[in-house]
Amino acid sequence: MSKNLVIVESPAKAKTIQKYLGKDFEVKSSFGHIRDLPKKGMGIDLATFSPDYEVSADKKKLVTELKAAVKKAEMVWLASDEDREGEAIAWHLADELKLKPENRKRIVFHEITKNAILKAIENPRDIDQNLVNAQQARRVLDRIVGFEMSPVLWKKVKPGLSAGRVQSVAVRLIVEREKEIREFVPKGSFKLDGIFLNKTNQEIAAKLKKDFDKEEDAEKFLELAQLTEFKVLNVETKPGTRSASAPFTTSTLQQEASSRLGYNVTNTMRLAQRLYEEGYITYMRTDSVNLSQEAIEGAKKQITSEYGAEYSSPRNYTTKSSSAQEAHEAIRPTDFAVKTVSDVQLNRLYQLIYRRTLASQMANAKIEKTVIEIGNAKLPQNFEAQGEVIIFDGFLKAYGIVKTEDDDEENNEKLLPKVTVGEVLAYKKITATEKFTRPSARYTEAGLVRKLEELGIGRPSTYAPTIQTIQNREYVDKREIEPQIREVVKISLVKDKIKKEVLEEKFGGDKNKFVPTDIGEVVNDFLTDNFKEILDYGFTARVEESFDEIASGDQKWKQMMTDFYSKFHPRIEDVEENADRATGDRLLGIDPKTGKNVHARIGRFGAMIQIGETEDEEKPVFASLMAGQNIATITLEEALELFKLPFDLNEVDGQPVSVGVGRFGPYVKWGETYISIPKGEDPLSVDQKRAEEIINEKKIADAPIATYKGEPVTKGSGRFGPFIKYKDIFVNVPKRYDFENLSQSDINELIDAKLEKEANRYIQQWEKEKISIENGRWGPFIKFGKGMFKIPKKADDTKYDAEELKEISLDEVKKWITDQDPKAFAEKKKPAAKKTAAKKTTTAKKPAAKKPAAKK
């Protein structure tokens, strides 16, 4: 029996720590929080702001096991992470497990290494109640905001919506950027580039120091240049340096992993968590750039041995953020002697952290910058060529140059050939190209993190879940924006001849950037109109500062909640009572056929076009918007085109054919089969010939690839990846199989395994009642419809085995279900009536919404 019980959050961390502690220690995992606010209901006493915490159903067994382990131990060591969330986990454990102060110790560490763990054991402390209160304040305030604002959205916008303090502000940033892009008016000007040749015919690329607003001015300059002798007017060479960036914080790691590795924020944090838990890096939720003396020494040793003493320049960085409180070190390797990690994905992120930390302790790069001025006194403006030479690479040897999204791609400075002042240069080509100003770029995940951090909104631990939440709620997405085309003028001077061309240029297209959805815009506009203070960037940042003050003991958390709620709740009541409904309604114009108004707005099933008014004697007609269209930008002409869908074509193989648009996009319907029209193809352009091509492609894709016991086997790719289909059974194909070249033995093996699994799945099944007793991962359970229910113990407090469950009657099983859900078998008449009503109101567009099998 171990005298000491250590409790950490994750099993991976427990496994690593157990290696470093002797037989007197047992390490167990709490699997994160063991209790939280209830999932149903607010769970907060609004008079006192006291939370009503409960152990979640999936943690009850774990808590029982932890209590049993606590009874056997003399001392319990609470070793959750050293941030507010970790401190709260320790506090909940201490409270729920009834740990007495004399039998518990709180330990913290920034890295999972033997030295760090043993040092933590030697320096225990008690639970920091201020950190716990800061976490409680955030949790309670966010629960109140969500639970009070969301019902207002249900009533005033659309049922099922939700709001959140930080998430709503993040959506606001994305919506405002999109509106800025829409309202942006590009301004054209002519930029001049020249390629000049020196005596030895080496090229020098240069730019004119001033742009021309008008085409005629650019053309006049070229006419003048045609008759001009170009000379080197000045050559300036000056030394410079480049210094390394600080080691990673959570947000800079997320940004750099996005730009260098293409990882999204959630993936970056998942991999960083694994690296931390397996002992490779220090704690990955931090806004500090400091390094310990031990780390600085370790980096120095590695740099000196790998690159040489001249590359070493030990230094420490100061954290700019006044609220940096999560951990006391930047993200860094725990051991600089470990240069790689075996797992490929982990290694890519580890290499980024490793090289960034090394670079931060390396000497500055030394450069020599050269500027050559080229022109003639007769010309109104001169050309300038810039280049640089790296004299000493310094930190660049380890990490290279860090570029941000805002860096101009055209500013690629190159090595320039040697020239002297007064030297005559011949021009090879001078080009005046019409260029247009561009609006601010849409946010990438990295850009959004950077902006939230800049505004002081959220903290390292909140960025990933915030970004995930606003996508899950479908307020924003990363859909592809098709580029537009415009004409640009290009005037070239080559061999004393001026040539003018009008070219086509694509602009405005985007991929993998955040774009607000229609519902996201409507919700944002409603919240900013009615809850201006809650959505205010400054207010959200001040709330974060209040949490910091609570964490440092300078503010009482319940007093903060009282001050906040006294202003917030009356506003909720006022908006609920007096605010108008929000539909994002936009009047597009008049339908020339009926003379009725045409509106774009949010309806019950999402963004739609409506012809007519709800109060008219003749009911309005509706059409769903297509992918890529939105309420704010759709034109009257585009809206009216939607009412041409769905339309019928001639039968194919005796089956009716139609073209429409549904929730999964445009489709061809052949009999009862929905076939997606390829991305980017206009459904209105699909004629009989094209529809038949699409149907034939589907036939080929669905043709049997083999047989199993005389029955055809087909293959496809669905939501969960590649699959084969036998009768009505879908069998997922694991990566170890070559999906494109499945052999008959592969198919037999896959289907045999699936059938065996299905055969062992049911202990008893009542198909008519949709009730079954099934074997599950954790033992037998009852399934009723989509719900799952526990099997109670027998009278002697033992569990039923599979043989006994085969004899249980349907009535007994129904009783077990009713004991857990008294309303399980209650008749549900209202939803049926509601469904009928919905059918009446969706008129012509209802068929488009029915497309369950389009993705198979």
Side-chain angles (χ1 to χ4, degrees):
M1 183 183 78
S2 300
K3 295 178 183 178
N4 297 279
L5 174 66
V6 181
I7 305 177
V8 296
E9 296 112 314
S10 77
K13 193 194 285 188
K15 192 177 175 183
T16 309
I17 291 173
Q18 185 71 70
K19 291 189 297 186
Y20 302 135
L21 297 172
K23 59 183 181 186
D24 287 340
F25 287 84
E26 181 185 14
V27 186
K28 282 189 169 289
S29 168
S30 69
F31 292 83
H33 277 280
I34 58 162
R35 67 181 191 184
D36 195 4
L37 295 171
K39 287 183 179 176
K40 292 184 179 178
M42 186 178 284
I44 297 162
D45 183 339
L46 292 173
T48 62
F49 300 105
S50 299
D52 179 20
Y53 296 116
E54 64 176 31
V55 175
S56 53
D58 61 327
K59 289 292 179 74
K60 285 184 177 175
K61 185 181 176 185
L62 173 70
V63 170
T64 303
E65 289 171 1
L66 289 174
K67 283 180 177 176
V70 165
K71 285 179 183 176
K72 296 174 187 173
E74 292 175 14
M75 181 62 67
V76 179
W77 304 77
L78 301 170
S80 47
D81 292 334
E82 191 193 10
D83 58 14
R84 295 169 193 173
E85 209 66 36
E87 207 69 22
I89 288 172
W91 177 72
H92 283 296
L93 282 165
D95 194 56
E96 189 64 33
L97 302 178
K98 306 286 188 289
L99 303 180
K100 294 174 183 175
E102 62 269 22
N103 296 118
R104 73 177 192 221
K105 287 180 181 177
R106 171 83 171 108
I107 55 170
V108 292
F109 36 82
H110 304 9
E111 59 188 71
I112 304 176
T113 58
K114 188 169 185 177
N115 285 345
I117 303 302
L118 296 179
K119 193 175 178 183
I121 295 283
E122 289 167 13
N123 297 281
R125 62 169 172 80
D126 201 359
I127 292 166
D128 186 332
Q129 196 59 42
N130 291 330
L131 289 180
V132 174
N133 290 342
Q135 189 273 347
Q136 288 196 98
R138 179 189 291 279
R139 187 78 184 91
V140 169
L141 188 141
D142 287 351
R143 171 61 69 99
I144 289 172
V145 169
F147 263 69
E148 295 213 347
M149 280 172 74
S150 297
V152 177
L153 291 178
W154 305 343
K155 188 175 178 182
K156 300 294 183 179
V157 184
K158 186 172 172 275
L161 298 175
S162 57
R165 182 180 60 88
V166 177
Q167 294 94 324
S168 297
V169 174
V171 173
R172 182 184 173 186
L173 281 167
I174 294 163
V175 171
E176 287 183 349
R177 179 60 55 88
E178 194 64 27
K179 287 181 177 178
E180 189 184 325
I181 291 167
R182 280 183 205 142
E183 291 163 12
F184 182 80
V185 180
K187 185 182 175 186
S189 63
F190 284 79
K191 294 182 183 292
L192 273 81
D193 297 280
I195 297 174
F196 299 90
L197 302 171
N198 69 357
K199 295 173 193 172
T200 56
N201 272 347
Q202 290 176 293
E203 291 188 357
I204 302 168
K207 295 178 184 295
L208 197 70
K209 290 164 83 172
K210 184 190 174 186
D211 300 336
F212 293 107
D213 291 336
K214 296 177 182 176
E215 183 183 330
E216 52 264 37
D217 292 339
E219 197 166 357
K220 277 180 191 173
F221 182 89
L222 290 181
E223 288 168 358
L224 198 57
Q226 202 173 7
L227 309 169
T228 300
E229 181 182 65
F230 287 93
K231 291 182 179 180
V232 176
L233 302 178
N234 189 36
V235 179
E236 189 180 357
T237 303
K238 46 188 175 185
T241 59
R242 280 190 175 163
S243 53
S245 299
F248 282 130
T249 61
T250 303
S251 79
T252 55
L253 176 63
Q254 290 168 352
Q255 291 166 46
E256 196 78 344
S258 173
S259 61
R260 289 207 179 203
L261 307 178
Y263 290 173
N264 65 32
V265 170
T266 303
N267 197 28
T268 297
M269 292 311 291
R270 181 179 61 79
L271 295 172
Q273 179 91 31
R274 281 184 60 194
L275 284 170
Y276 167 65
E277 289 177 350
E278 291 176 28
Y280 292 111
I281 63 169
T282 53
Y283 191 50
M284 70 293 155
R285 290 194 183 93
T286 174
D287 40 17
S288 169
V289 291
N290 300 327
L291 291 176
S292 67
Q293 197 55 45
E294 184 187 346
I296 291 170
E297 289 298 324
K300 180 182 177 181
K301 184 180 175 185
Q302 186 63 33
I303 292 162
T304 305
S305 67
E306 192 169 344
Y307 303 113
E310 70 274 20
Y311 281 90
S312 176
S313 179
R315 74 196 82 166
N316 213 337
Y317 293 81
T318 307
T319 301
K320 291 177 185 175
S321 169
S322 59
S323 61
Q325 74 330 307
E326 300 291 4
H328 308 304
E329 264 201 275
I331 304 168
R332 63 162 177 86
T334 54
D335 182 357
F336 288 97
V338 178
K339 295 183 71 174
T340 57
V341 175
S342 57
D343 181 286
V344 176
Q345 261 204 319
L346 285 181
N347 189 53
R348 290 186 75 201
L349 191 66
Y350 180 73
Q351 288 297 308
L352 198 68
I353 295 165
Y354 185 91
R355 293 199 304 269
R356 173 80 163 227
T357 314
L358 270 195
S360 77
Q361 299 302 301
M362 291 173 75
N364 290 343
K366 292 176 185 175
I367 59 172
E368 187 177 82
K369 191 166 187 175
T370 304
V371 179
I372 301 173
E373 193 170 357
I374 303 165
N376 189 297
K378 295 176 185 176
L379 295 172
Q381 295 294 332
N382 294 324
F383 285 89
E384 188 175 83
Q386 292 190 7
E388 63 180 39
V389 180
I390 295 171
I391 307 298
F392 173 64
D393 53 4
F395 78 92
L396 296 174
K397 201 171 187 75
Y399 198 66
I401 296 168
V402 178
K403 284 194 174 184
T404 70
E405 292 170 10
D406 304 322
D407 287 345
D408 191 339
E409 290 176 15
E410 294 177 9
N411 287 346
N412 292 328
E413 296 177 335
K414 295 175 182 176
L415 183 63
L416 295 173
K418 291 283 184 188
V419 290
T420 55
V421 175
E423 183 179 336
V424 175
L425 302 176
Y427 72 80
K428 182 179 178 181
K429 183 179 184 180
I430 300 175
T431 309
T433 310
E434 189 176 16
K435 299 278 186 181
F436 288 90
T437 52
R438 293 180 295 181
S440 300
R442 292 181 176 92
Y443 289 107
T444 58
E445 287 201 6
L448 186 59
V449 166
R450 185 161 60 248
K451 188 65 178 177
L452 289 169
E453 185 182 41
E454 182 188 307
L455 293 170
I457 294 166
R459 284 296 176 261
S461 58
T462 65
Y463 298 137
T466 295
I467 287 171
Q468 195 60 53
T469 299
I470 61 178
Q471 291 177 88
N472 292 346
R473 289 179 178 173
E474 297 183 353
Y475 289 160
V476 303
D477 59 26
K478 293 182 184 175
R479 66 183 177 274
E480 188 174 337
I481 304 292
E482 292 294 324
Q484 297 170 263
I485 294 173
R486 65 184 166 205
E487 291 185 340
V488 293
V489 176
K490 184 179 180 181
I491 314 168
S492 305
L493 170 59
V494 185
K495 293 180 181 176
D496 296 332
K497 288 184 180 178
I498 292 175
K499 178 187 171 187
K500 188 187 288 188
E501 304 169 87
V502 177
L503 307 173
E504 283 191 341
E505 174 186 76
K506 289 182 177 181
F507 72 99
D510 250 332
K511 282 182 182 178
N512 209 31
K513 304 272 186 75
F514 282 124
V515 183
T517 60
D518 284 305
I519 194 67
E521 286 201 50
V522 172
V523 167
N524 175 74
D525 291 348
F526 178 81
L527 292 176
T528 47
D529 288 346
N530 293 285
F531 298 98
K532 196 171 183 179
E533 188 178 46
I534 301 296
L535 272 287
D536 177 68
Y537 302 132
F539 168 79
T540 311
R542 285 193 298 277
V543 168
E544 296 293 348
E545 287 168 9
S546 293
F547 294 152
D548 294 340
E549 288 172 10
I550 293 164
S552 61
D554 296 330
Q555 189 176 159
K556 302 292 183 189
W557 80 274
K558 289 194 177 181
Q559 184 57 53
M560 179 225 171
M561 291 304 309
T562 303
D563 294 343
F564 168 80
Y565 195 67
S566 64
K567 299 182 187 79
F568 175 68
H569 187 66
R571 185 70 195 139
I572 288 283
E573 290 179 324
D574 180 48
V575 171
E576 198 164 16
E577 187 68 32
N578 302 311
D580 294 329
R581 276 191 64 81
T583 61
D585 190 286
R586 182 170 158 250
L587 181 62
L588 303 180
I590 306 293
D591 174 23
K593 287 184 181 176
T594 62
K596 293 181 177 181
N597 286 336
V598 181
H599 299 266
R601 69 179 186 86
I602 290 290
R604 188 174 171 191
F605 300 106
M608 66 179 191
I609 303 299
Q610 174 181 315
I611 298 179
E613 308 294 340
T614 48
E615 57 270 17
D616 289 351
E617 191 174 326
E618 189 180 351
K619 292 289 181 188
V621 290
F622 306 96
S624 300
L625 269 67
M626 286 197 281
Q629 294 180 323
N630 58 56
I631 290 170
T633 59
I634 194 168
T635 64
L636 176 64
E637 292 73 24
E638 289 168 340
L640 293 175
E641 286 286 299
L642 296 171
F643 288 90
K644 294 178 181 176
L645 293 165
F647 60 85
D648 295 325
L649 294 170
N650 297 331
E651 290 185 355
V652 172
D653 298 343
Q655 300 261 45
V657 176
S658 62
V659 178
V661 63
R663 59 182 293 203
F664 298 114
Y667 62 83
V668 171
K669 187 183 179 191
W670 176 48
E672 292 305 309
T673 304
Y674 290 86
I675 312 164
S676 292
I677 292 171
K679 192 177 178 183
E681 192 170 335
D682 182 359
L684 292 166
S685 70
V686 176
D687 55 13
Q688 185 70 32
K689 183 184 174 187
R690 179 64 183 129
E692 288 179 15
E693 286 173 359
I694 291 169
I695 291 165
N696 286 332
E697 286 166 11
K698 177 69 173 171
K699 283 180 182 177
I700 293 166
D702 287 354
I705 58 165
T707 59
Y708 178 87
K709 294 185 178 176
E711 295 286 343
V713 176
T714 59
K715 74 175 184 177
S717 190
R719 187 177 165 194
F720 303 108
F723 65 84
I724 57 173
K725 187 183 176 189
Y726 163 67
K727 293 185 175 178
D728 291 327
I729 299 169
F730 290 90
V731 185
N732 288 331
V733 179
K735 286 182 180 178
R736 65 178 181 272
Y737 291 90
D738 181 355
F739 181 63
E740 296 305 321
N741 301 291
L742 290 170
S743 66
Q744 184 66 50
S745 62
D746 290 337
I747 289 163
N748 292 346
E749 188 178 301
L750 286 160
I751 297 173
D752 285 343
K754 181 71 173 182
L755 292 175
E756 186 182 344
K757 187 178 177 183
E758 286 294 307
N760 294 327
R761 177 178 167 186
Y762 295 105
I763 296 171
Q764 276 207 82
Q765 187 178 17
W766 297 272
E767 285 189 41
K768 189 179 175 184
E769 288 80 4
K770 295 183 179 177
I771 295 174
S772 58
I773 302 176
E774 300 182 17
N775 280 308
R777 189 176 175 187
W778 312 112
F781 67 96
I782 301 164
K783 191 169 183 185
F784 173 40
K786 291 183 180 178
M788 288 181 280
F789 297 85
K790 291 180 181 177
I791 293 171
K793 289 183 180 178
K794 294 186 286 187
D796 62 359
D797 206 34
T798 59
K799 292 181 179 179
Y800 286 93
D801 61 30
E803 291 303 314
E804 290 171 320
L805 289 170
K806 285 178 183 175
E807 306 301 321
I808 298 293
S809 68
L810 174 61
D811 288 339
E812 183 68 12
V813 174
K814 282 186 173 181
K815 182 179 179 300
W816 289 347
I817 293 170
T818 310
D819 288 344
Q820 294 170 62
D821 180 3
K823 296 179 181 177
F825 298 99
E827 285 188 31
K828 297 177 181 177
K829 290 181 182 177
K830 285 185 180 178
K834 217 171 184 180
K835 198 173 179 183
T836 310
K839 274 188 178 178
K840 286 179 184 175
T841 56
T842 39
T843 63
K845 296 323 290 174
K846 191 62 184 172
K850 282 182 173 180
K851 200 180 167 205
K855 293 289 171 187
K856 278 286 176 198

